[in-house]
Amino acid sequence: MPYTADSVLPEKTLSRAPQPLLFDGDGLGLRPWRADDVSAVHAAFQDPLMHQWHLMRSDSEAEAAGWIETWCKEWEGERGAQWAVVDADTDRLLGRVALRDIRLAEGVAKVAYWTTAAARGQGVAARATNTLTRWAFEEIGFHRLELLHAIANQASCRVAAKTGFALEGTKRSAFLHPDGWHDMHLHARVQGD
């Protein structure tokens, strides 16, 4: 069935080229995930704060290896785009930033991120989100990026505000965390913000 509007981004917009390395110009790098990131990912998910705000937990390095394999395949299928956030000089893992639920035809995706315990409070999530957002709008041509977080996750709300994602509303009882259902803030940026 034909649509009434043209696709914002055609198929193969992402997968026609290898996933790029992105840099913030201030010591932060975003690079594709590698098999040798397994231990660092597993270690990051041993942090109790990760368990509070994320659905997944890593019970073994083999499980983390499976995640990385999946994250790498998402680029090819244009369903998601996941980057390891690293110190540009040492390649030490600082976190993750991603575009999830990509809908190329609509030019829409959801931004997600986490940081390791050692990287928190240093602006890593905001810098990585800014770098990814700039690339998504300026290099690729996305029209809208959304960002969701539990209302109780004030650190994530600060990242959204610092990176120009306007608060658009509240999704009531929208996400199940270990302590029960949480209301979620919906933030977004659109091309030209």
Side-chain angles (χ1 to χ4, degrees):
M1 173 185 315
Y3 292 98
T4 58
D6 292 336
S7 291
V8 175
L9 297 168
E11 287 183 31
K12 306 291 185 197
T13 293
L14 299 178
S15 65
R16 68 176 172 236
Q19 185 174 350
L21 295 168
L22 307 172
F23 297 95
D24 79 338
D26 194 25
L28 197 70
L30 279 58
R31 64 159 171 77
W33 289 96
R34 303 186 307 234
D36 63 353
D37 292 321
V38 167
S39 294
V41 170
H42 177 66
F45 273 83
Q46 303 317 299
D47 175 14
L49 196 56
M50 292 291 270
H51 301 170
Q52 183 177 4
W53 302 121
H54 293 84
L55 276 178
M56 302 186 317
R57 69 172 198 237
S58 177
D59 291 332
S60 68
E61 287 196 4
E63 188 171 44
W67 295 352
I68 290 171
E69 202 173 296
T70 299
W71 294 341
C72 291
K73 288 178 183 173
E74 286 182 348
W75 180 266
E76 218 28 58
E78 297 186 305
R79 297 177 311 275
Q82 310 255 356
W83 281 266
V85 179
V86 298
D87 179 293
D89 295 326
T90 66
D91 201 49
R92 180 174 56 99
L93 182 67
L94 303 173
R96 162 208 173 237
V97 68
L99 293 178
R100 298 176 46 232
D101 302 329
I102 292 173
R103 297 188 319 262
L104 290 176
E106 298 170 41
V108 175
K110 292 179 181 157
V111 174
Y113 48 80
W114 52 258
T115 55
T116 63
R120 286 196 196 111
Q122 300 172 33
V124 169
R127 289 167 51 207
T129 298
N130 273 331
T131 302
L132 177 61
T133 300
R134 210 171 17 258
W135 173 82
F137 284 141
E138 296 174 11
E139 301 289 323
I140 301 302
F142 277 90
H143 174 71
R144 177 181 169 88
L145 298 178
E146 297 179 347
L147 190 159
L148 283 164
H149 66 82
I151 290 175
N153 187 343
Q154 291 301 309
S156 213
C157 200
R158 285 191 298 274
V159 170
K162 281 182 189 176
T163 56
F165 281 77
L167 178 60
E168 293 189 337
T170 300
K171 294 178 74 171
R172 297 177 304 122
S173 195
F175 199 86
L176 182 60
H177 286 286
D179 63 346
W181 288 99
H182 280 250
D183 291 348
M184 303 291 284
H185 272 165
L186 170 62
H187 297 261
R189 283 186 61 179
V190 296
Q191 186 72 251
D193 276 353

